Amino acid sequence: MSQQNNAPSQDITTRLIHHAYEPPAGFAAPQPAIHKASTVLFPDVAALRAREWKDKTSYTYGLHGTPTTYRLEERIATLEGGQQCLLAPSGLAAISTVALALLKSGDEVLLPDNAYGPNKALAEAELAHWGITHQMFDPLDPLDLAARISPRTRLVWLEAAGSVTLEFPDLLAQARICRERGVTSALDNTWGAGLAFAPFDLKGDGSLGVDISVHALTKYPSGGGDVLMGSITTRDERLHLKLKLAHMRLGLGVGANDAEAVLRALPSMALRYRAHDVATRELARWMGRQAPVAQVLHPALPGSPGHPHWQALCGSANGGAGAAAGLFSVVFDARHGQERVDAFCDALRLFRLGYSWGGPISLVVPYDLPAMRECATPHLADGHLVRFCVGLEDVQDLRADLEQALGRAFGN
Ligand SMILES: *Cc1c(COP(=O)(O)O)cnc(C)c1O
């Protein structure tokens, strides 16, 4: 059906811009449409004046939300067991938004010593410049966290499992301490991803949770290694509004194509997470039996630091098998020099060198652990650490890759 143009013009450009045709309503397909906008149009001045951007009842400007971003926010809130969600252009942007929204000069933020490295760097560099101080606490000692909370403490970051070394903290005790002391707790939930445990309901009876869950959607929700995005999920309208105002004033938004990529990958996320988990545990156990290896770090393996806490929080998922992400680290015995460990990483063929995780490709990164930590780490073996992210390749192929690289680097 052809229709007349709105514009009373013969000019082809005007007619193309103001073309009146609208496709019929009622189109239904598995994947929702992508809505892209900076400008949002209003039918009249009254509507322009009346619309409210702080809730999701309407649309005002692309940065304030589109059907595509609202839809993704609602699905991430469901995944996390929260009620409100904001999207940020990266996981790190989600982390920094929380800090900028909640902290002012004179405040203090506490971070676990095994926190995501760039979160520590944010505190050490940027926040310090603005008169916001920080302390690192021992992730394995809730009493250390409790002792460091002062009247200036406004925010406590939590992470389970910790980055790179994957210690699993007593998250319940940590969350309870924050709640009792009236300090806002923010969990970096990238590892658990909303699947291994429920960040807002740690006991399963609705009585205890964190206040904020930040998730690098870059990892499992995207699943492709090709999207950067983060989310900030809450269960408290006032806290959400505070975060949303800062998020808005900082001008943070995400691209519609990126949001669509995450919407597309979300339905397979739990299946992928489980597949990564099963393969990772098999490879971690196998690595633990190899001669050059002094310690394997994976919270689901007995003996790994914090394993009982993982068991208590994540152990009942998957019919008692528990749930864990696709990461493990290995400490090579200190008698092997860094050159050998580097040679091992270089000899790997399927495990590629690269940061991030959560995609189909297996990755490996050697880390300089002593440079990353402030607190003592008596629970970690002495030696050189390598972190593995297990992708979706065949697990026997991955095991063979590890075996050939061990042979080449440590064989003689
Ligand atoms: C990757 C990651 C982030 C940051 O996500 P980006 O999108 O890369 O900025 C934050 N926390 C953890 C635990 C991560 O693994």
Side-chain angles (χ1 to χ4, degrees):
M1 179 179 43
S2 83
Q3 293 179 16
Q4 292 300 308
N5 282 343
N6 286 335
S9 173
Q10 295 306 308
D11 178 77
I12 186 61
T13 303
T14 303
R15 286 169 60 205
L16 290 176
I17 294 170
H18 294 271
H19 204 286
Y21 174 78
E22 287 291 336
F27 178 77
Q31 189 63 5
I34 315 178
H35 290 85
K36 298 176 148 186
S38 48
T39 298
V40 167
L41 301 174
F42 303 93
D44 51 38
V45 174
L48 184 146
R49 294 213 170 106
R51 282 199 199 163
E52 175 53 73
W53 63 268
K54 293 196 204 75
D55 59 33
K56 291 188 191 167
T57 54
S58 60
Y59 306 99
T60 49
Y61 188 59
L63 201 53
H64 304 178
T66 64
T68 303
T69 58
Y70 285 1
R71 200 185 292 274
L72 181 54
E73 285 169 357
E74 291 299 309
R75 292 186 190 186
I76 298 298
T78 298
L79 172 68
E80 299 268 347
Q83 269 156 19
Q84 309 88 11
C85 176
L86 294 165
L87 300 175
S90 68
L92 185 54
I95 287 171
S96 65
T97 302
V98 171
L100 297 183
L102 303 185
L103 302 173
K104 61 180 187 318
S105 179
D107 290 347
E108 183 157 275
V109 54
L110 303 182
L111 299 103
D113 201 29
N114 58 2
Y116 178 63
N119 192 358
K120 293 171 82 170
L122 173 73
E124 285 161 351
E126 303 305 321
L127 299 185
H129 292 162
W130 301 329
I132 298 160
T133 60
H134 69 275
Q135 288 187 58
M136 306 298 173
F137 61 87
D138 184 340
L140 291 175
D141 182 3
L143 294 179
D144 186 52
L145 165 62
R148 288 175 194 273
I149 294 177
S150 79
R152 293 202 298 115
T153 310
R154 285 280 172 281
L155 177 65
V156 173
W157 279 101
L158 301 172
E159 202 168 324
S163 277
V164 179
T165 39
L166 298 163
E167 299 97 336
F168 209 93
D170 187 347
L171 193 58
L172 268 83
Q174 292 176 328
R176 194 178 298 116
I177 288 166
C178 293
R179 177 122 335 154
E180 283 169 4
R181 303 287 291 272
V183 179
T184 302
S185 58
L187 173 74
D188 183 330
N189 195 30
T190 307
W191 184 94
L195 296 172
F197 59 90
F200 296 101
D201 186 12
L202 297 169
K203 290 172 73 180
D205 61 4
S207 68
L208 183 67
V210 298
D211 297 311
I212 299 170
S213 178
V214 163
H215 192 163
L217 307 183
T218 303
K219 309 290 166 50
Y220 293 116
S222 143
D226 56 354
V227 174
L228 286 157
M229 200 179 292
S231 62
I232 306 164
T233 304
T234 46
R235 223 168 153 164
D236 178 285
E237 194 57 47
R238 280 182 51 201
L239 181 58
H240 169 69
L241 189 59
K242 197 165 186 186
L243 291 160
K244 184 167 174 89
L245 288 168
H247 178 265
M248 177 54 218
R249 290 169 185 145
L250 293 166
L252 300 172
V254 305
N257 284 345
D258 285 345
E260 191 265 353
V262 178
L263 281 167
R264 206 174 147 95
L266 270 185
S268 64
M269 182 181 160
L271 294 173
R272 288 184 280 108
Y273 192 89
R274 181 84 187 116
H276 289 294
D277 179 1
V278 169
T280 302
R281 290 197 221 184
E282 182 173 337
L283 295 174
R285 279 196 199 95
W286 184 85
M287 278 299 270
R289 295 194 292 270
Q290 308 311 307
V293 172
Q295 188 177 23
V296 176
L297 300 165
H298 185 300
L301 298 195
S304 195
H307 168 71
H309 301 307
W310 173 84
Q311 185 67 42
L313 193 63
C314 314
S316 61
N318 297 313
L327 296 170
F328 72 99
S329 290
V330 157
V331 182
F332 286 100
D333 195 289
R335 75 194 138 88
H336 300 295
Q338 185 70 59
E339 312 77 56
R340 270 190 186 232
V341 174
D342 289 356
F344 163 76
C345 294
D346 281 334
L348 289 162
R349 298 196 187 106
L350 298 181
F351 282 89
R352 303 294 304 272
L353 284 160
Y355 293 103
S356 200
W357 38 279
I361 190 164
S362 292
L363 299 169
V364 62
V365 178
Y367 281 92
D368 178 11
L369 195 58
M372 295 163 62
R373 301 297 274 261
E374 279 187 16
C375 302
T377 52
H379 57 283
L380 299 176
D382 195 20
H384 299 287
L385 185 143
V386 173
R387 201 240 354 236
F388 299 87
C389 134
V390 177
L392 294 171
E393 302 95 334
D394 176 71
V395 68
Q396 296 316 322
D397 289 342
L398 293 175
R399 200 197 48 111
D401 192 31
L402 294 169
E403 192 163 19
Q404 65 81 21
L406 284 171
R408 281 178 54 182
F410 301 99
N412 46 34

